Each structure stands twice: as C-alpha cells, then as structure tokens.
Amino acid sequence: MEKGTNCFPTCHTVFLAWTWLLLLSWCCTGAEITCRSCSSPSPSWPSSSPRLRQEQRQTPPPTPRGLRSWPGGRARGSAGAAVTAEPLPGGESGGRAGPRGAELLSAGAGGGAAGSRGSAAPRSRRSSEGRPVEGGGRGMPAAEGQRSARAQPRGPPEEGRAARLRGVEELRLGSTTFALTGDAAHNQAMVHWSGHNSSVILILTKLYDFNLGSVTESSLWRSTDYGTTYEKLNDKVGLKTVLSYFYVCPTNKRKIMLLSDPDIESSILISSDEGATYQKYRLNFYIQSLLFHPKQEEWILAYSLDQKLYSSTDFGRKWQLMHERVTPSRFYWSVMGLDKEPDLVHMEARTADGHTHYLTCRIQECSETKRSGPFSRSIDINSLVVQDEYIFIQVTAGGRANYYVSYRREPFAQIKLPKYSLPKDMHIISTAENQVFAAVQEWNQNDTYNLYVSDTRGVYFTLALENVKSSRGLEGNVMIDLYEVAGIKGIFLANKKIDDQVKTFITYNKGRDWRLLKAPDTNLRGDPVVCQLPFCSLHLHLQLSENPYTSGSISSKETAPGLMVAAGNIGSELSYTDVGMFISSDGGNSWRQIFEEEYNVWFLDWGGALVALKHTSMPIRHLWVSFDEGRSWSKYSFTSTPLFVDGSLVDPGIETQIMTIFGHFSLRSEWQLVKVDYKPIFSRRCNKDDYQTWHLHNQGEPCVMGERKIYKKRKPGSQCSVGRDYSQTVVSEPCVCGQGDFECDYGYERHNNNQCIPSFWFSPSSLSKDCSIGQSYLNSTGYRRIVSNNCTDGLREKYKARMEKCPGKAPRGLHILTSDGKLVTEQGHNATFIILMEEGDLQRTNIQLDFGDGITVSYANFSPVEDGIRHVYKSAGIFQVTAYAENSLGSDTAVLFLHVVCPVEHVHLSVPFVAIRNKDVNITAVVWPSQAGTLTYFWWFGNSTKPLITLESSISYIFNEEGMNTVTVQVAAGNTLIQDTKEIAVHEYFQSQLLSFSPNLDYHNPDIPEWRQDIGKVIRRALVTGIPDEQILVAVFPGLPTSAELFVLPHKNTTERRKSSEADLEQVVEILFNALNQNLVQFELKPGVEVIVYVTQLTLAPLVDSSTGHSSSAMLMLLSVVFVGLAVFLIYKFKRNPPPALTHQCSENSRRAQKSSCFLLQQICLNHRPENGGSLCAHLVKNMTDVFIQSMSILPAALVQ
C-alpha cells in the first residue's frame, strides 16, 4: 500500500508570514511557499497554550533520539517519497493532521486519515522590481473580489536554458485571474481543492497578530468553477466569527469542518455540502488535531490542548472523552482486516501509576475497566507506532533501548539488530510490501544512519547500506536522504557519505546491491560530458519539498512508471550550489539534463505531460510544457502581468489538466489566484496508436525483483489526453532465481566472494532454541530471498532454509533482569522478573525462580514466563533472586540482587546542641518509617562540597573550628531522597543546666520542632539580663513533660584569655542560677498563662569542659551513674515492697539534703505503687534517664583528661 501522499492529497495550505519571507526575498531565495508542515505532522506549539497555535517560522529543539522519532513510512507514495524522520502525530502511520494543517499524509493501512488542514507558509511581498515596498498598498474596493484585467506591462524574461526550445513565437494558455479583494492585510492562507470530479476550491485567509499571538481577522472564500470566480462566505459562518483552521473529511470531500480561533471561542462549524452552508456547535475543549477514520466518514478522534482524547460518531456534533493522559500524536484508528473491531483505538497513555503504557479500547467503551494492554509492561514515552501490519514500541532497560514489534497483532517480539549495532537513534522508514525499512544511527555515527531491512515479521534485520546522509529539517526533524521510486517496487535512491563526500547510489533489489548513477552523455548544448565512473557520476537531491506548493527536489508518479525528475549535479560529489534539473525515462538507468537551473516540475494528465515553473525570486509570467518526457519544451505565458509566485496548486485528480498559481503583483496587492487550463493544448483523446510498451531493466538485465515487467506508456510527443478511463497495463512473468535475488540472512555478512558468512558474534545454532526435541526447525543457509521478490527455481532450492530436527541442548546463557531494568523496587509493589536464555530447549527446560524471601516458583518450560514473573515483597531489604534452568542435558544459574525499599517519609538529624572542639561527636539520623530497608546516608559538614557516604545511620565527627557548624544529612531510598539540617555550636568549654517548667506549659506543647525553637527563643529572652545573646543557648527537648537545657557559652575569640574567660563564665552561671532558683525567670505564653522556669534538681554535671581542672566532676558523674544503676536494680528486685531499712535510712538522710540521691530513691520506692498511678515515678525515671544519657555523652571527654 502506498504511503505518504495518498490519504488526502487534495488538502493544501498556504502559511504566509510576511516578515520571515520578506527577509528571504531580499536575499533572493524566491517567493515560494516554504511550508514546513508538509513533512512534519508534529505539533508546532506547546499543547499548554492555545495562544501559541500559529504557523510561526521558528525552529523547535531537535527531536529526541530513539524510537520516539520514528516516522510512519514516508518512503512510499503515489509520487514517490523522500524519507523524513521525525515524531509522528499519527503521520502516515496514523494519518492525522498536525495542528498546523494539511500534511498530505497517508493513513496507512487503516491507521486513520487526517482531515485537510492546509499547510501554510510565509507570503513574500515585493514590488515589481523585486524589492520590498513600504507605505500604503494599492487594491480594489474591499467589498468583493473581481476578475483582473490582463492589460498589464510585461515582466522580465525568464533566464536559463531548456532542452530543445520548441518554436520562437509566444504561446498562450487559457487562464483567468481573481483577486481576493479586502484581504490584502491577511498574512496567512489555507487552500483546499476537492478534486475527484469536483470543481470546488476553498480558501481561508487570516490576519495573524504576532504581538498578540492570535488570529484577529479571517475570510472564507469558495469557488465552484475551478477557481475562475470566488464567493466570500463570512456572512454564512458569522461576521464576528474568527476562523483558524479547516478540515476536510478524506473519505467524503463534501464534509468540511471549520475551527474557530480558541482565543475568542471554542466552536466548530460543520458543512455537508462542500462548504456551501454551515452549522455551528460549541465545544468545551480546544482541538489541537483531528484523526478521521479511514472508512467511517462520521467517526473522528480529537486531541485537545490538555492532552485529552475525545471521540465522535456523528462528525463532531457530540464528543465523548476517551482518556485524559494521552501522549501527543500517539493514537491510531484500527487497521481493517487486522483489528477485530472497526472502532478500536490504539493509544499511548499514562496510567494511574505514572508510567506510560500501550492501551487499546473501543470509542464508546473506553472506561478504565474496558481498556486492555496488549503489551504487559510500561513503554518509553512517545514510542508507539501503529503502521500497516506492524506495531512498534520501545522499552529502555539498563540504559539501552530495546525495540519490540508485533506483526499482524501477534505477541510482541524483540527486534533483532546485529549484536553490536548499539543504536542510539532509530526510525521506521517504510512498512510497505510486508517488510520494514529502518534507519539506525549507531554508537559511532553523528550525521549518518545505516539502513536496515527486515524479514516479513519485522523481527530480524540485516544491513542494506551504511552511512546514509541525514540532515535536520526546518523544525528539527531528522531527514534521511533515501527515496523510493514510485510505480516500480524495489528501486531506491540514497545519498551515502564516503570520506566526507556525499554520493548518490541506486538499487533495483531493495538494497541488496547499490551502484552510482551514470552521468548524461551530453549536456544541454549537445556537447559530450566527460565523467568517468567511479570518479565522477550524477548526484541528486532526494528531499521532498517541505512546501506542498512546490514539486520538491525529486518526484515520480505511480501512473508514470520509470519517469523521474530531480535536481542535482554532475561531479565527484553532491553540490548545493551548481544545481540543474535532470530526468530519467527508464527507471534511473540513464539520465538527461533538462534545465541548467532549478525548476518546479509537475506531472499532468496521468504523467503524459510535464509542466515546469522556474524556481526564482523574480516575478514571472511563463511556464514550460513537455509532451515527450522532457526532450523538448514549449514556452507558454499564463498571465500578462509578471507575478511573484507564492506557490501553485495542481488539481488533485490524477487526470490533472488544471492548475492554480497564486501570488501577488506587488508588496501591497491582494492575493492573485491564476487558474491555468491546459485542456486546450491536448489536441485530442489518445487511441491505441498513441501508446507503446516499455521494458523495465537494470543496466540491460531484464529481471528486476525476480520478474520481467512490461509497461504501457504514452508515446513521447503524442499530444493527446488519456482521460479518466485510463488503465495501466503491466505484463509480468517470473524469472529464474539468481544471486541478486537473495540477501544475507540475520547474523550473516556478505564477503568479497559474494558469499554470506556468519558474523563473529553469531552462532547459527542459537536460532533453534524455540523448538524442542522431536520437533523440527528451519535452519538458515545464510541466505534469504528478498521480500516481495517473485523469482522461481534456480538458486531458490539451494538457498532456502533447511528443515532439520531440533538438537538437544543444555541451558546456556541464562539471564535474569527486571522489566524496568532497575535493581530497586518498593515494598508492596509488583516486581516483574524477565528470564532469558541464549541456548537450550525452551519447551523442555524447567525453570525455578527463588525470590530470596522464602518463596520459590517453578515452571515446566519457558512459555509461562515470557511476559515476566511478578512477585510482591512484603518486607524491605536486599534479596538474592536466583533463576535456575535445567533439562536432561545440563543446567545453568543466574543471580540478581534486588533492593526492596520502603519509601522514607521523614528524617530527623539528632545532634548535640553544643560540642567541644577537637572531640568526637556522635551524630545520628533517625528515619521514619524505621523499616525502610537498605538506605544510603550522605553527610555534609560545614562548607564541604564532598559528602561522606555511609550505610549506617550514625557517624562520629570531630569539629576543628569554634563557632556555629552546619550538619546536613541526605537519606536515599530507591528514587526517594530526603534531608535534614542542624547547627552545632562548637567551643573549647561551656556550662549547661537542665531546666524544668511549670506544669501549665505541657498543656500548650504540640511537640513539634517549630514550637520548640520558638519557646527556646522566648526562654533565652527571659533569661538574658545584660548578658550577650550569643552566650546563651536554650534547647527544648522533644516529649512531655516539657524540659530544656541551658547552655552558657564563652565569649567569642577568648582562647587567649582562657582563665579570665572561665571566671567570667562562672559569674554568668551564678547570676542565672540565682535567678532560676528564686523563680525570677518566667514568661507569658499567652494572655493569662504565665510559665515559670526552674532549675532541674537532677542535674548531675552542670559544667562541661575539656580541661584537666574538672576531673572531680567527671568522677562525680561516674559515681552518679553507678548509683542510678543500683537504684534501678533495687526497684526491680524489691518491686512494690522496698526494704524497711532502706526506707528508714532515706528518711533520716532526707532531712539533710533534699537534692541527694537517697531522697530520689525514696521517692521512686514510695511512688512505685499501683495506687499512686505511677505518674511521679514515670516523671522521675524520665528525668534520671535524661541525666544518664547526658552523663554518658560527656563522660568519655571528661575521663580522657
């Protein structure tokens, strides 16, 4: 099936942005329409803003590499097609119109068809002298258009030498000119010509305000006489309605849909009579692109700017939401004959889990429960391509892209490229004739691609041509210099880069053999051309025009087999400066030069005549016509006034005999539409004597693609019209199979002796693993017949695959990996394991998978594990997953270590508020939830730029500088990363004291860090009375009852005055303690709530220092710890009945020292009874525990001294 132009070749658009092309005009690049969107169906504006929906001449960032850049088979078309590789919004594989208009795309084999949205391009405005004109414009009254008079001065003659100029007198063509009066200010236009027995032409002109970013005016014109006259339809669509686009149903050209500009309103206008009348319908969403069903004219898919997909079964009158998170341009209609339901939609969408999946559903049954996923795993975003019999997706695992294909809706199989191709970019070129052409940019390529061809199923690919030239289009899309000749299967042209030179090659057997093009024997003057192969040859430009209103650099037609017209040059390499026009009448075997400069060349009347229009920035009024395949040309005038040509529109019917040329006479003039009728120059209808037979050949070899073909063509020079009942007759008979009919099979390479030898990495026996003992398989001989080659007998029997018994093999090359290529999964989520085996009997090999958490599963063969084995881990940790494969001939094992994590939600950095310089400080990160599995801790201290990395949650660190030091910890668990930061005051020495508060503070304590920080500041303000703020630090502890610690710090930079500073510190401490002991420190928490601050009587070590002068304090701390331990032991030993002697002794001692430990023990003993509720005991035990922890943290530093 042909791809690229046959879906809706009748839809055309003119994109006319004045400023852009005015600059180009000044540089003499021509006043042509250079629409980018003709080869790029991708959206031209971000989907988030309707104000950016415009045809601006801006180049977006280059297309991301990978399968997401696959085109939809642009190498097939009724007129041939160059390859452009770019992201498809349906494109030829889905047949959608991009948001910028009529892409002239094919729907493929049922992928859908885009409506006519018209390509657009900047309009060049010049004066008659070829320069921009300033000031006011001239024109007709702004009411209606008028037929223009033809008494205008003649323009400059066209230059350039044509092949055999026939006659000297000026010939005239029947033409009429119509001016779109009143639209001189409009800078954009869209044109649609129904064709196919219809005389209706629609033109939408618009004024796009680039400052506002929206359309401010529009006019709709309609012609019913092939463009002789036009009627303005603004009153029929609404005088205040501003239109932005229109679509034409590809299966019923009478049905037309207009879109209003979304900045004003969201509505559509529908016509069922080729635009004569309209009905208006409001929408609650903004349409970005439409996709028409390839068979059902009422069925449409609409993609909105907010990435939602809608469907309609009544041509847009009512819409139903299908999915809310669909990837732009990745939705396709069902393919007739392959999908069971005609209303099935293929789409790429994000699901609730945040991953991208390939989904299918019917347009009226697309709820979440009704959707299905043909591919079980998630896929890479922007990678789904549904095209003809094939579906392609991309899945990245382990940093490498893996490509999968489904042929005729069979289960997906991984695409097999040569082992070390290592693609970094891949594009699907064509899927015609049950074979896939793919361009692959390998790891060592930058501006070239390798061309690969597949087997019928699209799985096994072999190299066809290396280093094919690529370039970037105007919108950043990748364009591959590869062209498939229309009308004859198997013929391709490609530009290959060799030693920094680009040369053109041709193949007649789908890439099996390539050769250079032989240059013409003579030039236009009849002089012989000296050009010796392989040092000199003919080189051609192979890109189709990105402007649908020019013919492009190369063209061919299905209805004119063997006839090709292209721009190029003769020499050692392709040139971009010395360019002429060349033609071949025998399928590329021989070439003739027809012009010394670039011309646009169109095919008329089934290819029986050629029309050439010079590619120039100057105004012209002549064109050239040839009836003998370019051997001679007749010069015709199509207007009496020279016209700056913006583009031309040929009747989309194959029997084309009418052309519309549009342009302007001067900078300020209205649009001029010139209708050219070629019918008078065809003298009569053709009869049988006007035809001849033509034998296809390859350098004299009559067998091409395994058959001899004879075509019926009109005789050169027969100036007759074939008419609409023309039928092409082809006689074909098979040939005997020869070497040229076979290519090397997958894993084999062609050597100099023309033999296919296994590559160093390939083991031919590896392909037998899919069969079992007792079964048979086809063992390749290293050759395979070229797909769609029709040869018989000869070498066919020798090279065809042999049926052999499946050999018994032990498992070898067992691999286990996760479906997403990651070695981390979350607790409670599905982990999918993929088991692969390079060699072995898949049907008779037992598989055992040990998940490492005590669960093991076993399978009798590989069939149940092809889509992966799912398992849910209920706990976090590192698990050794082991796969074991065994059959009667041996076994193999593979191991994978999987990290199962529980997402961490919070981390608290536990650090002392004050630390001693040059002493170890223990720092701990407390993570919640605590059972989070294996975590990685990153520690930053101060201004360090490199972290310390540990697997433990605690770290010991020595601070070398006094002052405030910052500590930051980051905790990594899987894809989650959290952090906490704290500050530590570091000094040579300090004093501290525990503080308590009146019980009313506990009632107002929410126990959150922010509250504790604010209360600490309030307490410090209450304490400071003439003491510098930096000497006081108050840290409120978490939990209840509320407690805090008071730190008294030395002055800054007091190291030199150590003794005097210590005395000053003791003085400050005495002042503060006196105030606290006398209950003089209090603060108002809120009106009526006074909180008193006390000294906690259980403080064991008020002074902390690194000097030797406080060893007594250290000893006191040590004795206190021992005593507290003894107290806890006695509580446990005697529980509710304390010894009487102990009680008596405590009573005696309590009169002497209320702060003594004996008094403390008595309080614990007397209150450790159930009837007392244990509250006081709990309070005292907590205080003792805090003191114990504080003592233990300070004790090592003190004991060292």
Side-chain angles (χ1 to χ4, degrees), residues 577-592:
T577 55
D578 182 19
V579 180
M581 299 301 297
F582 298 85
I583 192 169
S584 174
S585 302
D586 55 4
N589 285 280
S590 62
W591 294 82
R592 305 184 309 276

mmCIF file of all heavy atoms in Angstrom, residues 577-592:
data_model
loop_
_atom_site.group_PDB
_atom_site.id
_atom_site.type_symbol
_atom_site.label_atom_id
_atom_site.label_comp_id
_atom_site.label_asym_id
_atom_site.label_seq_id
_atom_site.Cartn_x
_atom_site.Cartn_y
_atom_site.Cartn_z
ATOM 1 N N THR A 577 25.308 24.192 -4.752
ATOM 2 C CA THR A 577 25.375 25.480 -5.457
ATOM 3 C C THR A 577 25.158 25.314 -6.959
ATOM 4 O O THR A 577 24.350 26.016 -7.557
ATOM 5 C CB THR A 577 26.734 26.152 -5.196
ATOM 6 O OG1 THR A 577 27.793 25.250 -5.561
ATOM 7 C CG2 THR A 577 26.867 26.511 -3.725
ATOM 8 N N ASP A 578 25.859 24.403 -7.580
ATOM 9 C CA ASP A 578 25.745 24.182 -9.026
ATOM 10 C C ASP A 578 24.673 23.122 -9.266
ATOM 11 O O ASP A 578 24.948 21.938 -9.417
ATOM 12 C CB ASP A 578 27.095 23.731 -9.582
ATOM 13 C CG ASP A 578 27.050 23.530 -11.097
ATOM 14 O OD1 ASP A 578 26.128 24.081 -11.727
ATOM 15 O OD2 ASP A 578 27.923 22.816 -11.626
ATOM 16 N N VAL A 579 23.407 23.561 -9.313
ATOM 17 C CA VAL A 579 22.279 22.636 -9.373
ATOM 18 C C VAL A 579 21.505 22.836 -10.659
ATOM 19 O O VAL A 579 21.162 23.967 -11.025
ATOM 20 C CB VAL A 579 21.338 22.818 -8.159
ATOM 21 C CG1 VAL A 579 20.165 21.845 -8.251
ATOM 22 C CG2 VAL A 579 22.099 22.616 -6.859
ATOM 23 N N GLY A 580 21.256 21.734 -11.366
ATOM 24 C CA GLY A 580 20.405 21.736 -12.552
ATOM 25 C C GLY A 580 19.315 20.703 -12.413
ATOM 26 O O GLY A 580 19.185 20.031 -11.385
ATOM 27 N N MET A 581 18.494 20.551 -13.468
ATOM 28 C CA MET A 581 17.394 19.592 -13.440
ATOM 29 C C MET A 581 17.693 18.450 -14.405
ATOM 30 O O MET A 581 18.139 18.675 -15.542
ATOM 31 C CB MET A 581 16.079 20.275 -13.838
ATOM 32 C CG MET A 581 15.653 21.397 -12.917
ATOM 33 S SD MET A 581 15.405 20.881 -11.197
ATOM 34 C CE MET A 581 14.059 19.717 -11.378
ATOM 35 N N PHE A 582 17.422 17.217 -13.953
ATOM 36 C CA PHE A 582 17.702 16.018 -14.731
ATOM 37 C C PHE A 582 16.465 15.135 -14.764
ATOM 38 O O PHE A 582 15.633 15.177 -13.840
ATOM 39 C CB PHE A 582 18.882 15.258 -14.144
ATOM 40 C CG PHE A 582 20.174 16.028 -14.153
ATOM 41 C CD1 PHE A 582 20.477 16.914 -13.128
ATOM 42 C CD2 PHE A 582 21.078 15.874 -15.191
ATOM 43 C CE1 PHE A 582 21.662 17.635 -13.134
ATOM 44 C CE2 PHE A 582 22.270 16.589 -15.211
ATOM 45 C CZ PHE A 582 22.563 17.467 -14.180
ATOM 46 N N ILE A 583 16.357 14.317 -15.816
ATOM 47 C CA ILE A 583 15.197 13.442 -15.969
ATOM 48 C C ILE A 583 15.652 12.074 -16.448
ATOM 49 O O ILE A 583 16.646 11.944 -17.188
ATOM 50 C CB ILE A 583 14.174 14.055 -16.951
ATOM 51 C CG1 ILE A 583 12.845 13.301 -16.892
ATOM 52 C CG2 ILE A 583 14.731 14.081 -18.369
ATOM 53 C CD1 ILE A 583 11.717 14.003 -17.640
ATOM 54 N N SER A 584 14.929 11.052 -15.996
ATOM 55 C CA SER A 584 15.156 9.685 -16.456
ATOM 56 C C SER A 584 13.828 9.112 -16.917
ATOM 57 O O SER A 584 12.810 9.242 -16.237
ATOM 58 C CB SER A 584 15.739 8.817 -15.345
ATOM 59 O OG SER A 584 15.835 7.465 -15.757
ATOM 60 N N SER A 585 13.843 8.469 -18.072
ATOM 61 C CA SER A 585 12.630 7.857 -18.614
ATOM 62 C C SER A 585 12.637 6.347 -18.499
ATOM 63 O O SER A 585 11.663 5.697 -18.882
ATOM 64 C CB SER A 585 12.461 8.251 -20.100
ATOM 65 O OG SER A 585 12.415 9.644 -20.250
ATOM 66 N N ASP A 586 13.741 5.776 -18.004
ATOM 67 C CA ASP A 586 13.864 4.319 -17.949
ATOM 68 C C ASP A 586 14.192 3.820 -16.541
ATOM 69 O O ASP A 586 14.993 2.908 -16.370
ATOM 70 C CB ASP A 586 14.930 3.839 -18.940
ATOM 71 C CG ASP A 586 16.281 4.517 -18.725
ATOM 72 O OD1 ASP A 586 16.406 5.297 -17.755
ATOM 73 O OD2 ASP A 586 17.200 4.265 -19.516
ATOM 74 N N GLY A 587 13.603 4.428 -15.545
ATOM 75 C CA GLY A 587 13.762 3.942 -14.177
ATOM 76 C C GLY A 587 15.116 4.201 -13.570
ATOM 77 O O GLY A 587 15.539 3.462 -12.669
ATOM 78 N N GLY A 588 15.850 5.210 -14.031
ATOM 79 C CA GLY A 588 17.125 5.576 -13.432
ATOM 80 C C GLY A 588 18.331 4.974 -14.100
ATOM 81 O O GLY A 588 19.461 5.185 -13.640
ATOM 82 N N ASN A 589 18.167 4.226 -15.187
ATOM 83 C CA ASN A 589 19.316 3.661 -15.890
ATOM 84 C C ASN A 589 20.113 4.738 -16.610
ATOM 85 O O ASN A 589 21.346 4.712 -16.616
ATOM 86 C CB ASN A 589 18.852 2.592 -16.879
ATOM 87 C CG ASN A 589 18.444 1.302 -16.194
ATOM 88 O OD1 ASN A 589 19.298 0.493 -15.829
ATOM 89 N ND2 ASN A 589 17.147 1.110 -16.006
ATOM 90 N N SER A 590 19.419 5.663 -17.243
ATOM 91 C CA SER A 590 20.084 6.760 -17.950
ATOM 92 C C SER A 590 19.372 8.059 -17.612
ATOM 93 O O SER A 590 18.176 8.071 -17.286
ATOM 94 C CB SER A 590 20.073 6.514 -19.463
ATOM 95 O OG SER A 590 18.734 6.469 -19.953
ATOM 96 N N TRP A 591 20.138 9.181 -17.739
ATOM 97 C CA TRP A 591 19.606 10.485 -17.355
ATOM 98 C C TRP A 591 19.931 11.514 -18.430
ATOM 99 O O TRP A 591 20.934 11.392 -19.144
ATOM 100 C CB TRP A 591 20.195 10.932 -16.011
ATOM 101 C CG TRP A 591 19.767 10.066 -14.856
ATOM 102 C CD1 TRP A 591 20.315 8.872 -14.505
ATOM 103 C CD2 TRP A 591 18.715 10.330 -13.932
ATOM 104 N NE1 TRP A 591 19.665 8.361 -13.402
ATOM 105 C CE2 TRP A 591 18.672 9.240 -13.032
ATOM 106 C CE3 TRP A 591 17.796 11.363 -13.764
ATOM 107 C CZ2 TRP A 591 17.763 9.171 -11.988
ATOM 108 C CZ3 TRP A 591 16.889 11.303 -12.722
ATOM 109 C CH2 TRP A 591 16.876 10.210 -11.850
ATOM 110 N N ARG A 592 19.074 12.533 -18.504
ATOM 111 C CA ARG A 592 19.282 13.665 -19.392
ATOM 112 C C ARG A 592 19.096 14.948 -18.594
ATOM 113 O O ARG A 592 18.284 15.009 -17.669
ATOM 114 C CB ARG A 592 18.273 13.662 -20.557
ATOM 115 C CG ARG A 592 18.254 12.397 -21.373
ATOM 116 C CD ARG A 592 17.283 12.539 -22.563
ATOM 117 N NE ARG A 592 15.959 13.000 -22.155
ATOM 118 C CZ ARG A 592 14.976 12.201 -21.698
ATOM 119 N NH1 ARG A 592 15.192 10.896 -21.611
ATOM 120 N NH2 ARG A 592 13.803 12.695 -21.383
#
